[in-house]
Amino acid sequence: MFDRLTPQVWQMILNATGETLYMVFASGFLAALFAIPLGVLLFITRPGEIKQNPKLYRIISVAVNIGRAIPFVILLFWIIPFTRALVGSSIGTTAAVVPLTVAAIPFVARLVEGALLEIPAGLTEAARAMGATNLQIIGKFLLPEALPALINGLTITLVTLVNYSAMAGIVGGGGLGDVAIRYGYQTNVPEILTTVVIILVAMVQLIQFVGDSLVRYVDHR
């Protein structure tokens, strides 16, 4: 049993920090890859928007709401068969990326929709008056205008994924959560628990600082 923060414990914590960063940023990237188009689709199919389709909007909206309603700790166990089929295992950091991504997609999609809803309707009308196509309206007007809000939303998502990644330790997902549970809690070594908490707090602070800095950089209003 570890009874103090020995060099091998510090090495284990360092490795776990790298695993947590991998889980957070890999799942964040994949979630953004799928969720940004989904959020755009939610927005443009809303009644009154450029490709309004109330029926399709309701279907997507309900699906997103269902995804957001499932607690992450339940999702971890519920999609184990899907995770195993996708990556060949339900244990490890790569396996943990799957439920993290699935949990983040509906969350990010709603944030993207919300960011686009904040844009004045006059921008779309002005783009149409200039002869822009729907794709040009989305790619050259709406998304650039919503960029600060999108970056802020992705920052919030990464912070949330830090929290979720710690829960992934429950099912052997690796990372700091796994270290905290196995070597901090189960072996009753509070020094490890405290160290993990400090690292997670520092990680969140750094992500938030970088996100806020990027928002200030791209926001020219």
Side-chain angles (χ1 to χ4, degrees):
M1 178 173 30
F2 297 112
D3 57 359
R4 67 182 189 278
L5 297 177
T6 60
Q8 57 263 44
V9 172
W10 279 113
Q11 185 60 50
M12 178 182 65
I13 291 173
L14 180 63
N15 293 339
T17 301
E19 291 174 350
T20 294
L21 289 171
Y22 163 69
M23 286 189 287
V24 168
F25 286 97
S27 57
F29 172 78
L30 290 172
L33 196 64
F34 289 101
I36 290 176
L38 182 61
V40 170
L41 186 60
L42 271 170
F43 174 75
I44 65 174
T45 57
R46 290 176 67 92
E49 295 302 336
I50 59 176
K51 291 291 287 184
Q52 61 177 338
N53 188 328
K55 184 176 180 180
L56 178 59
Y57 173 76
R58 284 195 296 271
I59 292 171
I60 300 173
S61 184
V62 168
V64 168
N65 287 340
I66 291 172
R68 294 175 66 202
I70 303 172
F72 181 68
V73 69
I74 295 176
L75 182 69
L76 273 172
F77 293 98
W78 187 40
I79 68 168
I80 281 178
F82 174 70
T83 302
R84 190 178 291 120
L86 195 63
V87 299
S89 173
S90 61
I91 298 174
T93 53
T94 298
V97 168
V98 177
L100 286 169
T101 302
V102 171
I105 287 174
F107 183 74
V108 176
R110 280 299 186 197
L111 290 175
V112 172
E113 182 192 18
L116 293 171
L117 283 171
E118 292 177 6
I119 300 173
L123 181 66
T124 300
E125 295 170 5
R128 280 198 181 281
M130 288 187 284
T133 65
N134 287 337
L135 283 178
Q136 288 172 332
I137 291 173
I138 295 168
K140 295 185 177 181
F141 293 89
L142 296 179
L143 289 178
E145 184 68 19
L147 188 57
L150 292 175
I151 293 174
N152 187 57
L154 290 174
T155 301
I156 294 170
T157 302
L158 290 175
V159 169
T160 303
L161 286 171
V162 171
N163 182 9
Y164 285 177
S165 72
M167 292 187 216
I170 297 172
V171 293
L176 290 167
D178 184 48
V179 169
I181 293 168
R182 286 202 296 158
Y183 301 105
Y185 173 72
Q186 292 179 353
T187 59
N188 194 27
V189 184
E191 294 88 350
I192 294 179
L193 277 172
T194 302
T195 302
V196 167
V197 168
I198 291 172
I199 293 173
L200 288 173
V201 169
M203 197 178 292
V204 166
Q205 292 293 334
L206 181 60
I207 290 171
Q208 191 66 56
F209 172 77
V210 173
D212 290 344
S213 299
L214 286 173
V215 169
R216 288 193 297 270
Y217 178 76
V218 302
D219 192 353
H220 302 298
R221 290 173 294 181

